[in-house]
Amino acid sequence: MKPFRRCLPILATLLALVPALLRPAQATEPPVRAVATFSILGDLVSQVGGDRVALTVLAGAGEDAHVFTPSPAHARSVAQAAVVFSNGLGFEGWMSRLIRSAGYQGRQVVVSKGVKPLKDAHGHGHGHGHGHGHGHGHQHGHQHGQHDPHAWQDVANVLLYVENIAAGLCAVDAAGCETYRGNARSYGERLRALDREIRAAWSGIEPARRKVITSHHAFAYYGRAYGVRFLAPRGVSNEAEASARGVAQLIRQIRQEDIRALFVENVSDPRLIEQIGRETGVKPAGVLYSDSLSKPGGPAATYVDMMRLNTAALVGAVGGR
């Protein structure tokens, strides 16, 4: 009898589990299929969507969305998506053609909605080729040549991106809306802390010294937000060819103003910056991440990591450390 009594607590526990075992399994919500046009935006969508979203990123980490060419596989991903997120401001000149070829009728979210865009101050020949007869076959002409699309380089703009992403996900998945809003609030706090961190990093550098040369004009929003002057041989797209006259003028300016911070970008051919470095005697200070994240495990695998890395590199070069 004693062995039997010792077994009674175990038996009672097993009997208590029977109703749960017999209960039909609860159906789990299928993930929301979403598409983001490039890696930086993909990270933002992931931060808001979490496990409820099955995300496809078109121009992946290390790829330049300026020169990206969608494949049939990308068109299939778009066709199957519940929601497609794009930057807008003329950044994805190939997007309209992709939407048409995919026959996509779902929700499209332009995440830069509400951003106060900077004008493209570097001319209409910056080479995206959308509706300007550059021979790339993208006849869109919407906003192109009017606005600088790199709005994510200002953290305050990304707070708007996150709000628009949450609203887009709520529109296609009402059951998950509370989760999306909660994730957006939590991530928003991280972004505000990042913005304060960047401002603190620049606080010790006098404004007159805050001059930087980069491969193309991708950092104007960063410059406006944090008081840094960026110069580049190319316009807002890496497709644009730098003119010999423009490069010569930039070299003169570097010498005259004693600009010491010279950077290549992760999505740009480094040869032109290296040439400028040889002409001016200014050694490139490293790599900035402009239009794409690094691959997972790299130094700029998330938006927050990218902004921290860029800021540390910029402040170090300008400050002479």
Side-chain angles (χ1 to χ4, degrees):
M1 291 295 290
K2 288 183 179 180
F4 179 75
R5 289 194 187 99
R6 284 198 297 267
C7 292
L8 284 177
I10 299 173
L11 183 61
T13 301
L14 292 173
L15 289 172
L17 291 173
V18 169
L21 294 172
L22 294 177
R23 197 178 301 132
Q26 296 293 320
T28 58
E29 291 287 337
V32 175
R33 289 189 175 184
V35 166
T37 51
F38 67 117
S39 61
I40 296 170
L41 179 52
D43 178 54
L44 303 180
V45 174
S46 294
Q47 297 292 340
V48 177
D51 293 338
R52 292 188 70 92
V53 172
L55 179 65
T56 298
V57 176
L58 300 180
E63 294 187 81
D64 183 0
H66 289 294
V67 296
F68 177 72
T69 301
S71 68
H74 293 128
R76 287 193 294 273
S77 294
V78 169
Q80 296 167 1
V83 57
V84 173
F85 295 97
S86 63
N87 182 75
L89 299 176
F91 184 61
E92 306 97 338
W94 37 267
M95 193 64 190
S96 295
R97 186 176 61 172
L98 176 60
I99 292 292
R100 287 197 301 271
S101 66
Y104 183 66
Q105 300 295 321
R107 180 168 293 272
Q108 299 181 56
V109 177
V110 177
V111 299
S112 62
K113 180 181 178 181
V115 166
K116 293 180 181 178
L118 288 171
K119 289 188 178 296
D120 172 14
H122 307 284
H124 299 284
H126 51 71
H128 285 275
H130 319 311
H132 292 283
H134 294 286
H136 297 285
H138 309 329
Q139 302 299 318
H140 307 306
H142 56 284
Q143 295 185 321
H144 179 64
Q146 299 175 22
H147 296 137
D148 181 338
H150 304 90
W152 60 85
Q153 292 292 349
D154 178 352
V155 178
N157 288 338
V158 173
L159 286 166
L160 292 174
Y161 279 33
V162 167
E163 290 179 10
N164 292 330
I165 291 167
L169 290 172
C170 284
V172 297
D173 179 22
C177 193
E178 185 176 346
T179 297
Y180 303 137
R181 295 294 186 192
N183 290 346
R185 284 192 297 271
S186 298
Y187 188 55
E189 289 305 311
R190 290 177 58 197
L191 292 174
R192 291 182 182 91
L194 173 65
D195 185 68
R196 293 191 295 269
E197 183 182 323
I198 294 171
R199 294 181 188 281
W202 282 106
S203 63
I205 307 293
E206 58 186 80
R209 296 176 62 191
R210 301 179 186 182
K211 298 175 184 177
V212 180
I213 308 297
T214 60
S215 301
H216 82 298
H217 284 285
F219 294 93
Y221 288 92
Y222 187 108
R224 180 178 70 176
Y226 306 113
V228 185
R229 185 182 179 195
F230 287 90
L231 303 167
R234 291 188 174 95
V236 298
S237 170
N238 279 316
E239 280 187 290
E241 291 296 330
S243 69
R245 180 180 178 183
V247 172
Q249 182 179 346
L250 183 60
I251 288 171
R252 286 195 300 272
Q253 187 172 4
I254 292 170
R255 289 170 174 164
Q256 290 168 0
E257 300 182 21
D258 192 29
I259 300 173
R260 312 307 299 171
L262 180 67
F263 286 92
V264 297
E265 295 169 27
N266 66 314
V267 294
S268 298
D269 188 327
R271 288 177 293 180
L272 181 56
I273 289 294
E274 290 168 352
Q275 175 194 336
I276 291 171
R278 288 192 296 270
E279 293 282 344
T280 60
V282 179
K283 184 179 179 181
V287 176
L288 296 179
Y289 288 80
S290 55
D291 297 0
S292 173
L293 300 177
S294 66
K295 293 188 180 297
T302 70
Y303 173 75
V304 171
D305 289 341
M306 179 190 80
M307 295 298 285
R308 282 179 174 153
L309 184 75
N310 284 349
T311 298
L314 289 164
V315 170
V318 172
R321 294 194 299 273

PDB file of all heavy atoms in Angstrom, residues 83-101:
ATOM      1  N   VAL A  83       0.720  43.445 -47.391  1.00  0.00           N
ATOM      2  CA  VAL A  83       1.091  44.859 -47.315  1.00  0.00           C
ATOM      3  C   VAL A  83       2.513  45.023 -47.834  1.00  0.00           C
ATOM      4  O   VAL A  83       3.374  44.179 -47.600  1.00  0.00           O
ATOM      5  CB  VAL A  83       0.960  45.396 -45.863  1.00  0.00           C
ATOM      6  CG1 VAL A  83       1.806  44.595 -44.886  1.00  0.00           C
ATOM      7  CG2 VAL A  83       1.280  46.882 -45.773  1.00  0.00           C
ATOM      8  N   VAL A  84       2.732  46.103 -48.569  1.00  0.00           N
ATOM      9  CA  VAL A  84       4.046  46.422 -49.128  1.00  0.00           C
ATOM     10  C   VAL A  84       4.472  47.784 -48.608  1.00  0.00           C
ATOM     11  O   VAL A  84       3.736  48.767 -48.739  1.00  0.00           O
ATOM     12  CB  VAL A  84       4.007  46.422 -50.673  1.00  0.00           C
ATOM     13  CG1 VAL A  84       5.331  46.923 -51.241  1.00  0.00           C
ATOM     14  CG2 VAL A  84       3.693  45.032 -51.207  1.00  0.00           C
ATOM     15  N   PHE A  85       5.661  47.840 -48.025  1.00  0.00           N
ATOM     16  CA  PHE A  85       6.196  49.076 -47.462  1.00  0.00           C
ATOM     17  C   PHE A  85       7.310  49.611 -48.364  1.00  0.00           C
ATOM     18  O   PHE A  85       8.238  48.874 -48.721  1.00  0.00           O
ATOM     19  CB  PHE A  85       6.769  48.831 -46.061  1.00  0.00           C
ATOM     20  CG  PHE A  85       5.745  48.421 -45.040  1.00  0.00           C
ATOM     21  CD1 PHE A  85       5.552  47.076 -44.732  1.00  0.00           C
ATOM     22  CD2 PHE A  85       4.969  49.370 -44.394  1.00  0.00           C
ATOM     23  CE1 PHE A  85       4.620  46.688 -43.792  1.00  0.00           C
ATOM     24  CE2 PHE A  85       4.031  48.995 -43.448  1.00  0.00           C
ATOM     25  CZ  PHE A  85       3.852  47.652 -43.147  1.00  0.00           C
ATOM     26  N   SER A  86       7.224  50.889 -48.696  1.00  0.00           N
ATOM     27  CA  SER A  86       8.279  51.542 -49.475  1.00  0.00           C
ATOM     28  C   SER A  86       8.648  52.869 -48.820  1.00  0.00           C
ATOM     29  O   SER A  86       7.877  53.425 -48.031  1.00  0.00           O
ATOM     30  CB  SER A  86       7.825  51.774 -50.923  1.00  0.00           C
ATOM     31  OG  SER A  86       6.710  52.650 -50.956  1.00  0.00           O
ATOM     32  N   ASN A  87       9.815  53.357 -49.164  1.00  0.00           N
ATOM     33  CA  ASN A  87      10.263  54.637 -48.610  1.00  0.00           C
ATOM     34  C   ASN A  87       9.529  55.806 -49.232  1.00  0.00           C
ATOM     35  O   ASN A  87       9.127  56.745 -48.557  1.00  0.00           O
ATOM     36  CB  ASN A  87      11.772  54.803 -48.833  1.00  0.00           C
ATOM     37  CG  ASN A  87      12.310  56.083 -48.242  1.00  0.00           C
ATOM     38  OD1 ASN A  87      12.471  56.193 -47.030  1.00  0.00           O
ATOM     39  ND2 ASN A  87      12.587  57.075 -49.076  1.00  0.00           N
ATOM     40  N   GLY A  88       9.372  55.756 -50.553  1.00  0.00           N
ATOM     41  CA  GLY A  88       8.792  56.894 -51.251  1.00  0.00           C
ATOM     42  C   GLY A  88       9.833  57.966 -51.519  1.00  0.00           C
ATOM     43  O   GLY A  88      11.040  57.717 -51.483  1.00  0.00           O
ATOM     44  N   LEU A  89       9.369  59.182 -51.829  1.00  0.00           N
ATOM     45  CA  LEU A  89      10.228  60.321 -52.164  1.00  0.00           C
ATOM     46  C   LEU A  89      11.117  60.019 -53.373  1.00  0.00           C
ATOM     47  O   LEU A  89      12.212  60.565 -53.507  1.00  0.00           O
ATOM     48  CB  LEU A  89      11.088  60.735 -50.961  1.00  0.00           C
ATOM     49  CG  LEU A  89      10.323  61.187 -49.709  1.00  0.00           C
ATOM     50  CD1 LEU A  89      11.294  61.467 -48.563  1.00  0.00           C
ATOM     51  CD2 LEU A  89       9.491  62.432 -50.009  1.00  0.00           C
ATOM     52  N   GLY A  90      10.622  59.142 -54.258  1.00  0.00           N
ATOM     53  CA  GLY A  90      11.358  58.827 -55.472  1.00  0.00           C
ATOM     54  C   GLY A  90      12.508  57.862 -55.291  1.00  0.00           C
ATOM     55  O   GLY A  90      13.265  57.637 -56.235  1.00  0.00           O
ATOM     56  N   PHE A  91      12.639  57.244 -54.112  1.00  0.00           N
ATOM     57  CA  PHE A  91      13.789  56.380 -53.847  1.00  0.00           C
ATOM     58  C   PHE A  91      13.746  55.104 -54.670  1.00  0.00           C
ATOM     59  O   PHE A  91      14.753  54.687 -55.242  1.00  0.00           O
ATOM     60  CB  PHE A  91      13.844  56.049 -52.355  1.00  0.00           C
ATOM     61  CG  PHE A  91      15.035  55.232 -51.939  1.00  0.00           C
ATOM     62  CD1 PHE A  91      16.318  55.717 -52.121  1.00  0.00           C
ATOM     63  CD2 PHE A  91      14.876  53.987 -51.349  1.00  0.00           C
ATOM     64  CE1 PHE A  91      17.428  54.974 -51.738  1.00  0.00           C
ATOM     65  CE2 PHE A  91      15.979  53.243 -50.947  1.00  0.00           C
ATOM     66  CZ  PHE A  91      17.256  53.738 -51.147  1.00  0.00           C
ATOM     67  N   GLU A  92      12.578  54.462 -54.700  1.00  0.00           N
ATOM     68  CA  GLU A  92      12.439  53.186 -55.416  1.00  0.00           C
ATOM     69  C   GLU A  92      11.792  53.442 -56.773  1.00  0.00           C
ATOM     70  O   GLU A  92      10.601  53.201 -56.955  1.00  0.00           O
ATOM     71  CB  GLU A  92      11.599  52.188 -54.614  1.00  0.00           C
ATOM     72  CG  GLU A  92      12.097  51.948 -53.183  1.00  0.00           C
ATOM     73  CD  GLU A  92      11.367  52.789 -52.138  1.00  0.00           C
ATOM     74  OE1 GLU A  92      10.792  53.831 -52.504  1.00  0.00           O
ATOM     75  OE2 GLU A  92      11.380  52.393 -50.954  1.00  0.00           O
ATOM     76  N   GLY A  93      12.590  53.922 -57.714  1.00  0.00           N
ATOM     77  CA  GLY A  93      12.029  54.253 -59.022  1.00  0.00           C
ATOM     78  C   GLY A  93      11.503  53.060 -59.783  1.00  0.00           C
ATOM     79  O   GLY A  93      10.724  53.200 -60.722  1.00  0.00           O
ATOM     80  N   TRP A  94      11.916  51.869 -59.381  1.00  0.00           N
ATOM     81  CA  TRP A  94      11.491  50.628 -60.028  1.00  0.00           C
ATOM     82  C   TRP A  94      10.182  50.082 -59.436  1.00  0.00           C
ATOM     83  O   TRP A  94       9.648  49.083 -59.900  1.00  0.00           O
ATOM     84  CB  TRP A  94      12.580  49.566 -59.853  1.00  0.00           C
ATOM     85  CG  TRP A  94      13.278  49.624 -58.517  1.00  0.00           C
ATOM     86  CD1 TRP A  94      14.427  50.291 -58.219  1.00  0.00           C
ATOM     87  CD2 TRP A  94      12.845  49.012 -57.281  1.00  0.00           C
ATOM     88  NE1 TRP A  94      14.760  50.127 -56.887  1.00  0.00           N
ATOM     89  CE2 TRP A  94      13.806  49.352 -56.288  1.00  0.00           C
ATOM     90  CE3 TRP A  94      11.767  48.208 -56.920  1.00  0.00           C
ATOM     91  CZ2 TRP A  94      13.699  48.920 -54.965  1.00  0.00           C
ATOM     92  CZ3 TRP A  94      11.664  47.784 -55.604  1.00  0.00           C
ATOM     93  CH2 TRP A  94      12.615  48.142 -54.647  1.00  0.00           C
ATOM     94  N   MET A  95       9.673  50.751 -58.407  1.00  0.00           N
ATOM     95  CA  MET A  95       8.570  50.166 -57.637  1.00  0.00           C
ATOM     96  C   MET A  95       7.268  50.091 -58.431  1.00  0.00           C
ATOM     97  O   MET A  95       6.557  49.088 -58.385  1.00  0.00           O
ATOM     98  CB  MET A  95       8.364  50.980 -56.355  1.00  0.00           C
ATOM     99  CG  MET A  95       7.473  50.313 -55.333  1.00  0.00           C
ATOM    100  SD  MET A  95       8.241  48.785 -54.733  1.00  0.00           S
ATOM    101  CE  MET A  95       6.869  48.084 -53.826  1.00  0.00           C
ATOM    102  N   SER A  96       6.939  51.143 -59.147  1.00  0.00           N
ATOM    103  CA  SER A  96       5.668  51.145 -59.897  1.00  0.00           C
ATOM    104  C   SER A  96       5.626  50.025 -60.921  1.00  0.00           C
ATOM    105  O   SER A  96       4.613  49.347 -61.088  1.00  0.00           O
ATOM    106  CB  SER A  96       5.468  52.494 -60.592  1.00  0.00           C
ATOM    107  OG  SER A  96       5.325  53.516 -59.647  1.00  0.00           O
ATOM    108  N   ARG A  97       6.743  49.815 -61.596  1.00  0.00           N
ATOM    109  CA  ARG A  97       6.805  48.740 -62.591  1.00  0.00           C
ATOM    110  C   ARG A  97       6.669  47.379 -61.922  1.00  0.00           C
ATOM    111  O   ARG A  97       5.995  46.479 -62.442  1.00  0.00           O
ATOM    112  CB  ARG A  97       8.119  48.823 -63.368  1.00  0.00           C
ATOM    113  CG  ARG A  97       8.210  47.836 -64.513  1.00  0.00           C
ATOM    114  CD  ARG A  97       9.473  48.006 -65.308  1.00  0.00           C
ATOM    115  NE  ARG A  97      10.666  47.790 -64.492  1.00  0.00           N
ATOM    116  CZ  ARG A  97      11.894  47.723 -65.002  1.00  0.00           C
ATOM    117  NH1 ARG A  97      12.085  47.881 -66.302  1.00  0.00           N
ATOM    118  NH2 ARG A  97      12.929  47.524 -64.213  1.00  0.00           N
ATOM    119  N   LEU A  98       7.291  47.220 -60.757  1.00  0.00           N
ATOM    120  CA  LEU A  98       7.193  45.947 -60.035  1.00  0.00           C
ATOM    121  C   LEU A  98       5.760  45.682 -59.588  1.00  0.00           C
ATOM    122  O   LEU A  98       5.265  44.550 -59.710  1.00  0.00           O
ATOM    123  CB  LEU A  98       8.129  45.978 -58.824  1.00  0.00           C
ATOM    124  CG  LEU A  98       8.076  44.758 -57.894  1.00  0.00           C
ATOM    125  CD1 LEU A  98       8.442  43.488 -58.646  1.00  0.00           C
ATOM    126  CD2 LEU A  98       9.009  44.958 -56.703  1.00  0.00           C
ATOM    127  N   ILE A  99       5.094  46.701 -59.074  1.00  0.00           N
ATOM    128  CA  ILE A  99       3.705  46.545 -58.633  1.00  0.00           C
ATOM    129  C   ILE A  99       2.823  46.118 -59.803  1.00  0.00           C
ATOM    130  O   ILE A  99       1.973  45.222 -59.674  1.00  0.00           O
ATOM    131  CB  ILE A  99       3.184  47.853 -58.007  1.00  0.00           C
ATOM    132  CG1 ILE A  99       3.902  48.147 -56.673  1.00  0.00           C
ATOM    133  CG2 ILE A  99       1.675  47.812 -57.814  1.00  0.00           C
ATOM    134  CD1 ILE A  99       3.587  47.184 -55.564  1.00  0.00           C
ATOM    135  N   ARG A 100       3.037  46.736 -60.956  1.00  0.00           N
ATOM    136  CA  ARG A 100       2.238  46.381 -62.143  1.00  0.00           C
ATOM    137  C   ARG A 100       2.527  44.956 -62.596  1.00  0.00           C
ATOM    138  O   ARG A 100       1.610  44.190 -62.896  1.00  0.00           O
ATOM    139  CB  ARG A 100       2.515  47.362 -63.286  1.00  0.00           C
ATOM    140  CG  ARG A 100       1.918  48.740 -63.095  1.00  0.00           C
ATOM    141  CD  ARG A 100       1.870  49.493 -64.422  1.00  0.00           C
ATOM    142  NE  ARG A 100       3.209  49.627 -65.001  1.00  0.00           N
ATOM    143  CZ  ARG A 100       4.033  50.628 -64.756  1.00  0.00           C
ATOM    144  NH1 ARG A 100       3.659  51.589 -63.910  1.00  0.00           N
ATOM    145  NH2 ARG A 100       5.214  50.693 -65.331  1.00  0.00           N
ATOM    146  N   SER A 101       3.796  44.598 -62.647  1.00  0.00           N
ATOM    147  CA  SER A 101       4.140  43.257 -63.142  1.00  0.00           C
ATOM    148  C   SER A 101       3.651  42.172 -62.191  1.00  0.00           C
ATOM    149  O   SER A 101       3.335  41.063 -62.617  1.00  0.00           O
ATOM    150  CB  SER A 101       5.650  43.138 -63.339  1.00  0.00           C
ATOM    151  OG  SER A 101       6.338  43.220 -62.105  1.00  0.00           O
TER     152      SER A 101
END
